[in-house]
Amino acid sequence: MPIVTSSEPSETETAEPSAGTNDALRLRYRIRFAKRDLLRWISHRDLARLWERLLRRAQLRLSMTEGFHPKPRIAFPSALALGVEGANEVVEIELAEHWTPADLLNHLRSDEQPGLDIRSVSQLPERFGKAQLLRGIYEIQAPADTDAASVAVAIGQLMDRETVSIERKKKSVEIRLQDQISSLHYTDETLHLVMEASDAASLKPTDVLDLLGFNDWIENGASVVRTDVVLQRELESDDPLVIATASQTE
């Protein structure tokens, strides 16, 4: 299920006229972005707040939820763990005004939020499904002087197992390994990991390191990057009025 996260505006962020609650028009945009550098150390909740503040600073007319405490419609298909960089993350927003993808892309990029690189904007057709995670693709840069042969042995031993147990909320959870790890290999001092989405308890990259016996990699300088978020349904088009990328506008 997509993760929908928005926050209450602070006293200094109460809705301006430009961020009104007129929902007569609801246009949905899918934004691809990178979360890098120091920004990787903010939580998913703080990332959602950052996006809300960015959209308010941009003076966009946001489509709001109904009820006593309306919130902007901002949705993420998958949360990114604290400390993990994201090279091609996804957020979907709804606006109560029309923007071309190119204009919206340039407008958001002009904010120049450190560590946030907005890569593309797509305007989704009416009734196009909400973003649903299919798989996440990761690269884990190994610490210096890691022995490649020992990594290969550990990978083989792990992938020979049918199930593994991990701890979630102080409870042991059993997971079928083949259902969640579709690819795991080590080349060029990098662990390449492809993890399938699951309705059950999901493995994290750090869980995989623990299961491999490399739970000291992070403290020894290993970096984790989610290089791609693959969705169940991607919007494909060559029309710049549908999808605009940063490379087109530079």
Side-chain angles (χ1 to χ4, degrees), residues 17-64:
S18 58
T21 58
N22 177 15
D23 284 349
L25 185 65
R26 287 178 57 180
L27 298 175
R28 191 152 51 93
Y29 295 85
R30 179 175 293 174
I31 301 170
R32 289 275 184 172
F33 67 97
K35 176 189 174 188
R36 302 186 186 279
D37 303 327
L38 293 179
L39 202 61
R40 74 184 189 274
W41 295 111
I42 70 170
S43 68
H44 179 70
R45 184 181 295 274
D46 286 336
L47 178 66
R49 292 193 183 107
L50 181 150
W51 267 102
E52 182 176 343
R53 290 167 181 157
L54 187 157
L55 296 173
R56 291 186 183 281
R57 285 197 302 270
Q59 298 186 326
L60 298 173
R61 186 175 301 164
L62 306 175
S63 176
M64 310 294 287

Side-chain angles (χ1 to χ4, degrees), residues 139-161:
E139 290 184 355
I140 304 174
Q141 188 71 36
D145 301 322
T146 297
D147 180 56
S150 64
V151 176
V153 170
I155 290 174
Q157 292 175 343
L158 177 60
M159 298 309 291
D160 282 342
R161 298 170 63 178

Side-chain angles (χ1 to χ4, degrees), residues 30-32 77 88-90 92 120 122-125 128-137 228-237 242-243:
R30 179 175 293 174
I31 301 170
R32 289 275 184 172
N88 198 27
E89 297 297 297
V90 177
E92 289 189 350
S120 69
S122 306
Q123 183 175 348
L124 300 178
F128 193 87
K130 292 184 178 181
Q132 300 282 342
L133 179 67
L134 180 62
R135 65 179 60 92
I137 303 176
D228 202 4
V229 171
V230 182
L231 303 177
Q232 292 185 11
R233 187 181 181 192
E234 302 280 1
L235 180 65
E236 298 180 0
S237 176
V242 177
I243 301 177

Side-chain angles (χ1 to χ4, degrees), residues 105-106 109 117-120 244-250:
L105 174 67
N106 289 329
R109 284 174 64 87
D117 181 16
I118 301 174
R119 302 184 58 193
S120 69
T245 65
S247 60
Q248 294 170 341
T249 60
E250 290 176 348

